[in-house]
Amino acid sequence: DHMIPTTYTHLDHLPTTPNGKLDRKALPAPQAAARPYEPPRDELDQRLATIWQEILGVERVGIHDDFFELGGHSLLALRLAMRLRQELDREVPVATVLAAPTVELLTAALRDEGEGPLSSGRVVPLRTTGDRPPLFLVHALGGQVFRYRPLAQRLGADQPVYAIPAHGLTAGDEVQTSLEEMAETYAGYIRAVRPAGPYFVGGFCIGGNIALEVARRLREAGERVPYVFLAWSSADEPVVRDTLEDDTALMTHALAGSLESVDPAELGELDPAERLLSIVNAATREGSLKTETDDLEQIHRYVEVFRANAHAVGRYRHAPYDAPAVLLIPEEDNAPPEEDFGWRAVIPGLETGPIPGARFSSLYEPFVSRTALEWKRWMDRGLGHADH
């Protein structure tokens, strides 16, 4: 059922490149299925709907409309979190927007004063349905977990998927500076959400490095981990540390895009705070953000998380791991068949498998559907490990 399209786009003909191949970039974006409009029910609903309209540039928002289906993305979710802090005078983790992508769900989340890992945003439920062993995905370098949403949607309604963002993304939350601390904490969150295994754990880039140590701790506690997923992760040199000391380089990575209007030479003449603001405003002009912002406190917080993650994983060296793990390598990165990114020295039984696309595209369309099929194939295989 999960492979049946929810909408169809009718074309007179498929666009092609000059050599006759399908021109994927010229295909129109699919339109989200229309939801029955249900107006805001109270003042909080109305305030949220109004904020969404302004940030997303849409005429009206019903309480069941999905923020991301209306055109939202990670940077707009950041902007939404900033607006909520300004207008509601409270910290709202960006992960909460990801876990509660409709006005109805976000209203409920804002009224939830719970202290558990789900209600506090420590673990983001991307999909809670299904009775298969859950998949827990660990954040990458920037600390956020938005990149995992498309994958979770395409793994099927029978596959529970949770994501764990980094500490330190909101005011008053301490940044974690060691991989050991992250692994201990995240393993505890997993067991709080699901007291008993088996569990699948994994992550993209340094998320794979952290996930391996989380799996180690779960196994030491007697739990079963059929597979650890290392998606484009490296045991040799997880991050190029020398390039991460400059706030400009950090924020460029955090904004996850190339900003054509940014002149590196001009940025070099600015102090760090002005550089950060210049990059954010460039993202605004180029359409990545809808409105200008001078919230440097929030921006510096994201940079600090980025730096802490880079240094924590960059300093860490993994001990041998004697359980199943799979290294997923994007096909377009053209890695040689024997490439293992240093993992075989750590994981004697390492397996490798291709996923479509390249480093940053494999978790997004048009590749993520095939990535999900490969991921699920490995999980099905891993269930054989869990039975023994």
Side-chain angles (χ1 to χ4, degrees):
D1 289 347
H2 72 276
M3 296 186 68
I4 299 174
T6 56
T7 62
Y8 294 85
T9 300
H10 295 276
L11 303 176
D12 293 333
H13 58 85
L14 292 175
T16 57
T17 61
N19 61 7
K21 294 184 178 180
L22 176 65
D23 187 353
R24 294 182 179 273
K25 294 182 179 180
L27 289 170
Q31 298 298 312
R35 298 174 184 267
Y37 175 74
E38 187 170 332
R41 302 158 297 183
D42 54 29
E43 181 182 355
L44 181 55
D45 277 0
Q46 185 59 63
R47 292 180 72 180
L48 293 181
T50 300
I51 294 171
W52 282 28
Q53 288 171 220
E54 295 172 357
I55 290 176
L56 296 170
V58 297
E59 293 185 1
R60 73 174 186 179
V61 172
I63 63 171
H64 300 307
D65 289 330
D66 188 290
F67 182 82
F68 299 97
E69 291 178 0
L70 292 176
H73 50 69
S74 58
L75 293 179
L76 292 183
L78 167 60
R79 187 64 208 154
L80 175 58
M82 290 179 178
R83 284 286 301 276
L84 293 174
R85 181 172 67 177
Q86 295 165 359
E87 299 199 14
L88 302 181
D89 193 28
R90 62 177 293 183
E91 285 290 337
V92 179
V94 180
T96 299
V97 180
L98 183 58
T102 69
V103 168
E104 180 182 41
L105 293 175
L106 187 54
T107 297
L110 292 174
R111 288 172 173 156
D112 181 5
E113 300 298 332
E115 296 295 333
L118 287 179
S119 59
S120 63
R122 296 301 191 190
V123 176
V124 179
L126 297 177
R127 184 183 291 280
T128 58
T129 59
D131 55 6
R132 290 167 60 90
L135 170 63
F136 287 87
L137 297 167
V138 179
H139 64 83
L141 204 58
Q144 297 285 4
V145 291
F146 286 96
R147 72 178 67 215
Y148 298 131
R149 185 174 188 266
L151 177 66
Q153 290 177 314
R154 288 158 180 81
L155 284 173
D158 60 341
Q159 179 60 60
V161 184
Y162 300 86
I164 304 176
H167 280 235
L169 295 170
T170 57
D173 190 24
E174 292 294 326
V175 173
Q176 294 187 323
T177 57
S178 74
L179 193 148
E180 294 94 333
E181 182 182 17
M182 295 176 193
E184 290 284 350
T185 303
Y186 300 170
Y189 291 158
I190 288 173
R191 299 189 74 188
V193 174
R194 291 289 185 101
Y199 312 101
F200 290 106
V201 295
F204 184 89
C205 188
I206 71 161
N209 299 71
I210 302 170
L212 185 74
E213 297 308 314
V214 170
R216 189 192 306 276
R217 285 152 179 78
L218 291 172
R219 294 182 69 244
E220 289 171 351
E223 301 296 347
R224 292 178 295 166
V225 183
Y227 263 119
V228 177
F229 290 93
L230 311 168
W232 201 84
S233 302
S234 173
D236 285 334
E237 188 66 25
V239 291
V240 183
R241 293 186 293 279
D242 291 343
T243 67
L244 297 177
E245 292 300 326
D246 179 78
D247 283 347
T248 300
L250 288 167
M251 199 58 202
T252 302
H253 279 285
L255 287 175
S258 59
L259 302 174
E260 296 179 359
S261 61
V262 170
D263 184 338
E266 292 181 1
L267 287 175
E269 299 176 358
L270 304 176
D271 66 41
E274 291 175 330
R275 274 182 295 203
L276 292 173
L277 182 56
S278 178
I279 291 172
V280 171
N281 287 339
T284 298
R285 291 191 299 271
E286 296 180 21
S288 297
L289 292 173
K290 290 291 184 183
T291 56
E292 298 263 336
T293 177
D294 58 358
D295 195 340
L296 288 176
E297 178 186 348
Q298 179 69 59
I299 296 167
H300 278 292
R301 191 175 301 125
Y302 277 68
V303 169
E304 187 60 28
V305 169
F306 194 98
R307 177 186 287 112
N309 288 336
H311 291 175
V313 179
R315 290 192 296 261
Y316 193 82
R317 292 297 175 265
H318 297 277
Y321 182 82
D322 61 354
V326 57
L327 173 64
L328 300 176
I329 304 176
E331 294 171 334
E332 292 185 11
D333 284 353
N334 297 316
E338 67 277 9
E339 180 62 75
D340 67 358
F341 296 105
W343 284 116
R344 291 195 194 281
V346 176
I347 309 168
L350 179 74
E351 299 175 79
T352 62
I355 52 177
R359 175 183 174 185
F360 291 112
S361 64
S362 60
L363 294 181
Y364 299 98
E365 291 295 5
F367 302 110
V368 69
S369 295
R370 288 169 52 210
T371 296
L373 287 176
E374 288 300 307
W375 207 295
K376 193 160 187 173
R377 182 175 68 83
W378 282 103
M379 285 194 289
D380 288 341
R381 181 173 177 176
L383 291 179
H385 295 301
D387 292 337
H388 297 287

